[in-house]
Amino acid sequence: MRSTMPDYPLTIQHFLWRSTTLFPGKEIVTRREQGYHRYTYREFGERVAQLAHGLRELGIGPGDRVATCAWNNYRHLELYFAVPCTGAVLHTLNPRLFPEHLEFIVNDAEDRLVFVDASLVPALARIAGKMPSVRQFVCLSDGPPPESPLTPMLSYEDLLRDKPKTYEWPVIDELDAAAMCYTSGTTGKPKGVVYSHRSTFLHTFGAGLSDCIGLTERDCLLPVVPMFHAMAWGQPYVATMVGATQALPDRFLDPASLVELIRQEGVTVAAGVPTVWIALLQYLEKTGTRLPSVRTVVCGGSALPPALMEGMARQGLRMLHAWGMTETSPLGSVGVVKSTLGKTQEDEMRVRLKQGLPSAGVEARLVSLDTGKDLPWDGQTIGELQVRGPWVATGYYRGADPDRFTADGWLRTGDVVTIDPEGYIQIADRVKDLVKSGGEWISSVELESALMGHPKVLEAAVVGVPHPKWQERPIAFVVPKPDHRGAVTQEEILGFLRPKVAKWWLPDEIRFIDEIPKTSVGKFDKKLLREQAVTPAVAGVRPSE
Ligand code: AMP
């Protein structure tokens, strides 16, 4: 028997309708070089319509790829809506990628238009003349576009000027592409993930649930996570759907600017990677500033170090740990605590530090790396995490790297995890980052968390280096806190680790450095560190020798 319910298309158009109709007076605020830009959802909706007219004028039709190379700001948000709502495909470009990767991505996607922030014109100009599919650049700026080899280039505001403030939105098939984003390409070439309207719609609902990020109309969201990577964890769509106030930081991501924005706008929920929060925590500790409006600091992208969660708790800030991937839209699991758990503060902390329960809509399984068989959820056995669901990719654009997907429709995440009997996922490592020593595995993530618990350590990253006897041995790169530069010894660090980890887990070498190199999305760049690790250090300690 068929239902009496309609085949109502699950498209992003609904969120545009909802925010502009139900919350026309709510605000979207963007940090600027000088001061702030602010307008309402009503004005936002009018400009989205004007932009849609502009896209049509430039010959953009259904399925055409429209790229953006922009920070988190109101114009980028307008593109997040106008492009997919006209039936075209939003393609976010990460300006921090190597030029070869950027060039590959633009050409692989065959972008027709590129909208670029004035401040990012130099980043994109690195590949000027190498984007044959691009017919037009549009500069996101107040004034005329800067001089550059990116031609022809017109101004965004000129494109919108005098256009009608309403648009007859077309009927869109919910399974059509709405947006695409490439993986960061830390191994091999970047691969395209194409999100549909339906997957985005469902992800937005899933992410909005109270047992996920739980954003409401009463909230003011600060997405520090960039809109050019993994759709800013879907936050722009969630915030717009519920009519939350949005506080967008543009390129001003230093702790002082973030604190100013948080305090001025009364931000309640902020989302970003651990490195952002490590820097913010340091700033708060140094200046004695408090952020009383903030109720949740969402942290994902790499493992949340316990010392960070504890430090933020001392500032009255509650962190919410989330896991996801470009391929999972990206929210896959969230560290919410079941009512039956977390009876003591320590228990609760232990649960919240895990990557969490698969979010509603996502199924998970634990699979042996050797045999491919299902493994028990006992919190001990480690294997690869595989996931599936309506917003989890089942293939890459143009069929790249098909081995990442199983024949029965699951995504091989490449993350090595345990899952406990309650269903909580805990990441031990990326498959490629596990240190294989003497036939056993050492979790670099766990070692890093232990290292970052040292009161003099700001950041730490662990990689495996080839070893003639043990196959691989861990070495640790450690950044001391500014007040302790040159004042922390290797023996001190190892002494701190000894009671915390198995003897054979102790790094063979500790290297003190000023900064851990980061990837284009702010994660520790382990590829680069592995290269550096095989170069002998000037100073170091090898306890095994
Ligand atoms: P990306 O597609 O660039 O967002 O990277 C996805 C990868 O980031 C995942 O496969 C994980 O290895 C890592 N990741 C994301 N969130 C977390 C987290 N909360 N803890 C540990 N690793 C994470």
Side-chain angles (χ1 to χ4, degrees), residues 3 13 19 27 37 59 151 158 170 172 210 212 248 293 300 350 353 374 400 411 427 446 501 515:
S3 75
Q13 290 171 348
S19 60
E27 279 190 329
H37 173 275
T151 53
D158 285 347
I172 291 176
S210 305
C212 199
L248 305 175
S293 64
R350 212 173 18 246
L353 282 166
D374 268 12
L411 167 72
I427 293 197
E446 214 170 302
V501 300
E515 197 182 336

Side-chain angles (χ1 to χ4, degrees), residues 445-525:
V445 170
E446 214 170 302
L447 266 181
E448 287 159 5
S449 290
L451 284 162
M452 286 190 265
H454 192 289
K456 296 182 184 171
V457 172
L458 183 65
E459 286 182 335
V462 172
V463 294
V465 290
H467 189 281
K469 182 170 172 194
W470 302 114
Q471 186 186 358
E472 269 185 352
R473 289 295 301 152
I475 89 155
F477 290 84
V478 168
V479 180
K481 288 186 178 160
D483 299 349
H484 300 289
R485 297 258 153 98
V488 53
T489 67
Q490 296 146 337
E491 192 41 50
E492 197 178 340
I493 299 283
L494 291 170
F496 177 79
L497 282 185
R498 252 178 221 115
K500 295 186 164 51
V501 300
K503 187 157 171 272
W504 58 278
W505 277 44
L506 283 181
D508 274 14
E509 184 181 349
I510 306 277
R511 281 193 204 176
F512 293 104
I513 53 175
D514 289 341
E515 197 182 336
I516 308 253
K518 310 278 181 345
T519 68
S520 62
V521 290
K523 303 182 193 195
F524 294 158
D525 190 339

Side-chain angles (χ1 to χ4, degrees), residues 161-189:
R161 189 160 299 118
D162 301 330
K163 297 283 187 307
K165 293 182 177 174
T166 57
Y167 192 83
E168 200 65 40
W169 300 106
V171 175
I172 291 176
D173 180 337
E174 64 180 24
L175 287 171
D176 277 351
M180 65 192 302
C181 179
Y182 281 71
T183 60
S184 327
T186 40
T187 46
K189 278 189 190 149

